[in-house]
Amino acid sequence: MTTATLDRPAVRADVRATLGSVVTGIGVVAPNGLGAEAWWAATLRGESGIRPVTRFDASRYPVRIAGEVPDFRDDEHLPSRLLTQTDRVTRLSLAAAQEALDDCGTGPAALPEYGAGVVTASSAGGFEFGQRELQALWSKGGQHVSAYQSFAWFYAVNTGQISIRHGLRGSSGVVVAEQAGGLDAVAHARRQIRKGARLMVTGGVDSALCPWGWAAHLAAGDLSPVPDPARAYLPFDAAARGHVVGEGGALFVLESEAAARERDARVYGAFTGYAATFDGAGAPRLGDAARLALEDAGVRPDEIDVVFADAAGARAADRAEAEVLAALFGPRGVPVTAPKSMTGRLLAGGASLDVAAALLSLRDQVIPPTTGTAAPAADCPVDLVTAPRETSVRHALVLARGRGGFNSAAVLSAV
């Protein structure tokens, strides 16, 4: 769905001065769509990618549904030499990076040798690869363990493989902050742009849908036990009982606004504000992250047109987030949405996918819906968007919380 009748909103001159880093390419691998445009169309239609697990036999587990990326044929995206040395998560990451670079209309060949780098976020690394090699170790012996195990399991492997495949030899890195990492990575890339990098590939993709990964998800204790995919993950709902886990995420091409304008690039939006905080003992600080991100962007609360919520799907966590939003914007004071209700929580990939949704909301002037939740609980006073809402979108706030006390917030703005 697009909104041809709505003009692109203007952004104040003082906000434009802070733009700095803009997004010129988007790549998406998600449970409800492979590729940015396919995923976005499915999201606006309210199509869920949460379904029974097929990547392993989950029949003996208490939770048997997840957000799996469907129809991803490894050999259609990667050469055979990479298939033997990569985990599922790296293959998904390489596909998203390829789409983002193709989408941006340029590449490292047009840049100075060290002018482009990579910063990604990961929570689990190559869990499935690691499980397979551990099984080989204990059942057959060490001589049957792949030499690629030395790096294929590592949470930094996505950054490394993207860098190698595309010749991105500039400053690179990886961050680990669970769900919050998807915003932290883009902020680290923005820092490199400010230091002089011409182009950065950034964002987050995660996948740990295998028995070893599933054991970790279950041990965390936050998965919804509801077997119905349509009712298992209900952000801000009175019946919320936890979340559904998924795989996938989004990667972006980030450039300085000056460089993008110089080559007349198509710009989705600007990464104008960011902040990260860490919870203290009994002192959650998501609200501080949101306020600091707005301050960094030079945007007032009344200028935010939509919030992409962290949306934990657990009663206490949802209530806490709703209280943060009410304190910042007033009760039901800003449209709030959680399109992750159609994919599940994707660990580091989740917040990055929300960034992609925010950017496409800026482009098309429409807020994507939250599915499953018909109306928020009485103790969650949020204006929850449950059907696509065509409206003026100038600034979007994305919130993310990571297990262990990580909080991150980002502001995306129209240009």
Side-chain angles (χ1 to χ4, degrees):
M1 179 184 298
T2 59
T3 313
T5 59
L6 291 175
D7 294 330
R8 183 174 296 279
V11 179
R12 297 196 328 263
D14 60 321
V15 175
R16 286 193 60 81
T18 70
L19 293 183
S21 299
V22 297
V23 176
T24 58
I26 301 175
V28 168
V29 285
N32 59 339
L34 184 58
E37 295 300 339
W39 158 76
W40 182 237
T43 297
L44 292 180
R45 291 192 300 266
E47 293 181 4
S48 176
I50 297 174
R51 55 183 67 88
V53 171
T54 64
R55 291 193 54 75
F56 64 96
D57 181 6
S59 61
R60 295 176 295 171
Y61 294 91
V63 177
R64 295 182 290 277
I65 60 173
E68 294 182 340
V69 176
D71 304 323
F72 184 86
R73 291 279 304 274
D74 297 344
D75 57 2
E76 292 179 355
H77 298 275
L78 298 175
S80 58
R81 64 178 177 79
L82 281 177
L83 296 181
T84 59
Q85 59 181 274
T86 52
D87 180 83
R88 164 87 167 182
V89 68
T90 303
R91 297 170 187 179
L92 294 175
S93 297
L94 287 167
Q98 185 69 64
E99 183 187 11
L101 285 164
D102 290 344
D103 188 42
C104 83
T106 189
L111 301 175
E113 185 175 7
Y114 297 97
V118 187
V119 179
T120 68
S122 177
S123 302
F127 253 46
E128 189 173 18
F129 195 105
Q131 175 188 303
R132 185 174 65 247
E133 299 310 314
L134 284 173
Q135 287 175 314
L137 172 65
W138 292 111
S139 64
K140 301 177 182 179
Q143 67 272 26
H144 294 278
V145 175
S146 169
Y148 297 123
Q149 167 66 3
S150 61
F151 60 80
W153 68 272
F154 191 39
Y155 57 83
V157 68
N158 299 337
T159 288
Q161 290 284 19
I162 293 169
S163 175
I164 292 168
R165 191 177 193 199
H166 297 285
L168 305 174
R169 303 180 65 187
S171 296
S172 297
V174 62
V175 295
V176 181
E178 211 246 0
Q179 188 92 358
L183 299 184
D184 297 342
V186 184
H188 278 266
R190 181 179 70 160
R191 185 177 301 164
Q192 296 305 322
I193 294 291
R194 287 175 169 176
K195 290 180 177 180
R198 291 289 301 275
L199 179 151
M200 296 294 294
V201 174
T202 187
V205 175
D206 254 317
S207 177
L209 301 185
C210 60
W212 189 16
W214 209 242
H217 293 311
L218 290 170
D222 296 327
L223 293 189
S224 170
V226 178
D228 181 358
R231 300 293 300 166
Y233 181 28
L234 303 174
F236 300 108
D237 196 298
R241 296 187 61 190
H243 70 269
V244 173
V245 74
E247 65 176 355
L251 294 177
F252 311 99
V253 171
L254 200 68
E255 302 181 61
S256 72
E257 186 182 22
R261 297 301 185 196
E262 180 182 329
R263 67 181 187 86
D264 197 26
R266 182 267 323 282
V267 174
Y268 287 100
F271 191 84
T272 51
Y274 163 79
T277 59
F278 197 80
D279 293 342
R285 299 193 61 212
L286 179 64
D288 290 338
R291 285 186 288 272
L292 290 168
L294 293 181
E295 181 180 329
D296 184 43
V299 173
R300 300 186 307 268
D302 64 352
E303 293 178 294
I304 292 294
D305 300 299
V306 60
V307 174
F308 288 81
D310 176 70
R315 293 292 291 123
D318 284 349
R319 187 163 52 246
E321 185 172 19
E323 290 171 356
V324 165
L325 296 174
L328 189 57
F329 301 104
R332 302 175 183 85
V334 65
V336 175
T337 190
K340 60 172 65 73
S341 57
M342 290 171 258
T343 64
R345 290 174 69 83
L346 311 182
L347 304 179
S352 290
L353 199 60
D354 279 345
V355 168
L359 291 165
L360 295 175
S361 290
L362 295 171
R363 183 193 71 179
D364 294 345
Q365 299 292 280
V366 60
I367 300 173
T370 304
T371 60
T373 303
D379 57 2
C380 293
V382 297
D383 175 16
L384 193 66
V385 177
T386 57
R389 185 182 298 183
E390 297 181 354
T391 186
S392 174
V393 184
R394 301 160 300 164
H395 305 287
L397 175 66
V398 179
L399 300 179
R401 290 174 291 191
R403 173 174 293 276
F406 297 96
N407 306 291
S408 293
V411 177
L412 288 304
S413 300
V415 297

